[in-house]
Amino acid sequence: MATLAELREKVRTQVDVTGLELPDATIDWYLQQAFDRTTAAENTWPYYQTHWDLTLQPGETTMPLPSDCNPVSIVSLTSDENYNRPLHMINQETAEDVYFLVPGTISPWVTEFSVWGGDIYLWPPTDYPEAQGYTLRGYRLPESMTTTAGQIDADRRLHLPLVNYACALAYAQQEDTTLEATYMERWQRDVEMARQAIMEPQRNRPVYMGGGLRRGWRF
């Protein structure tokens, strides 16, 4: 597991410069760009898998989405009270069209949810008199290197490719376009190799003929 300080040293060693010629602030800027572009290659890196315990307050029909949740990679929202039953995710426009934004109790159970404007909307709108618990499962957003005390918030196999990207920008600063292109290609190649290994399915999936996927027990 590499640290920010170790990546800085590798960049300086590779480019053969001193701390005065390539200060920490500049390298950190290069590495942050590398980190942002690398992690943006996937929304579902296994490293960021997590879950959040949420509470729907009495009388409310929405809950704030966790600030570190990546909305496009939500896997499920489960009702803790209603037999851990997963809710069906729909888009906001469909929900508003189907339920007409009717307030108050119109159903004994919430069955669907949507995400809009940083909030989770529960459908149909149900005015519960007591707090309700939910579990949100999905992938969190990566933390900036400036907020992780020098730790790289990514799978360790993505750490060293960041050095190649930073070296490419360092050579661009020196107006060496040949080495810039060489190290940028190395970054792309190394990230793709790591991505294929990291995103490989955990197990072989059987081919389903007609029956579809196995489903759990339902009421």
Side-chain angles (χ1 to χ4, degrees):
M1 185 70 71
T3 64
L4 181 57
E6 291 171 340
L7 295 187
R8 289 173 185 157
E9 188 60 31
K10 290 181 183 298
V11 172
R12 288 198 184 98
T13 299
Q14 187 61 41
V15 184
D16 193 19
V17 293
T18 66
L20 293 176
E21 294 170 315
L22 192 59
D24 287 352
T26 302
I27 296 181
D28 292 353
W29 181 41
Y30 293 164
L31 289 172
Q32 187 63 56
Q33 291 181 62
F35 180 80
D36 291 342
R37 293 191 64 179
T38 299
T39 55
E42 291 283 348
N43 279 312
T44 56
W45 293 109
Y47 186 87
Y48 302 124
Q49 292 175 352
T50 190
H51 72 273
W52 300 265
D53 295 323
L54 308 180
T55 301
L56 178 69
Q57 298 300 328
E60 298 291 334
T61 58
T62 66
M63 300 180 292
L65 189 70
S67 59
D68 61 340
C69 174
N70 186 352
V72 301
S73 62
I74 290 175
V75 174
S76 66
L77 179 65
T78 304
S79 169
D80 296 344
E81 278 75 16
N82 191 10
Y83 305 100
N84 293 320
R85 180 177 52 82
L87 308 184
H88 177 62
M89 187 175 186
I90 59 177
N91 63 61
Q92 188 73 10
E93 295 83 353
T94 299
E96 293 176 353
D97 181 59
V98 170
Y99 296 107
F100 302 103
L101 295 180
V102 178
T105 302
I106 64 175
S107 172
W109 298 111
V110 167
T111 58
E112 299 180 304
F113 77 100
S114 61
V115 176
W116 185 261
D119 289 320
I120 298 173
Y121 287 73
L122 301 175
W123 306 99
T126 303
D127 188 2
Y128 290 114
E130 299 179 351
Q132 304 290 307
Y134 291 87
T135 300
L136 179 68
R137 187 160 57 92
Y139 297 78
R140 65 176 177 82
L141 296 168
E143 291 188 48
S144 168
M145 286 188 288
T146 60
T147 62
T148 55
Q151 301 299 314
I152 310 302
D153 187 30
D155 188 289
R156 62 177 180 80
R157 287 167 286 187
L158 296 174
H159 292 188
L160 290 182
L162 305 181
V163 172
N164 289 331
Y165 188 98
C167 287
L169 296 189
Y171 283 122
Q173 185 184 50
Q174 298 176 1
E175 299 184 353
D176 190 333
T177 57
T178 300
L179 287 178
E180 175 193 0
T182 297
Y183 279 88
M184 193 62 72
E185 290 173 1
R186 286 184 180 179
W187 166 74
Q188 293 174 330
R189 183 173 62 251
D190 291 351
V191 168
E192 180 57 24
M193 291 179 63
R195 188 190 69 81
Q196 291 180 12
I198 294 170
M199 301 304 295
E200 183 76 16
Q202 297 179 6
R203 60 190 181 279
N204 292 329
R205 298 290 300 274
V207 177
Y208 293 92
M209 304 298 289
L213 294 175
R214 177 182 178 184
R215 298 297 184 185
W217 179 71
R218 292 288 185 271
F219 288 102

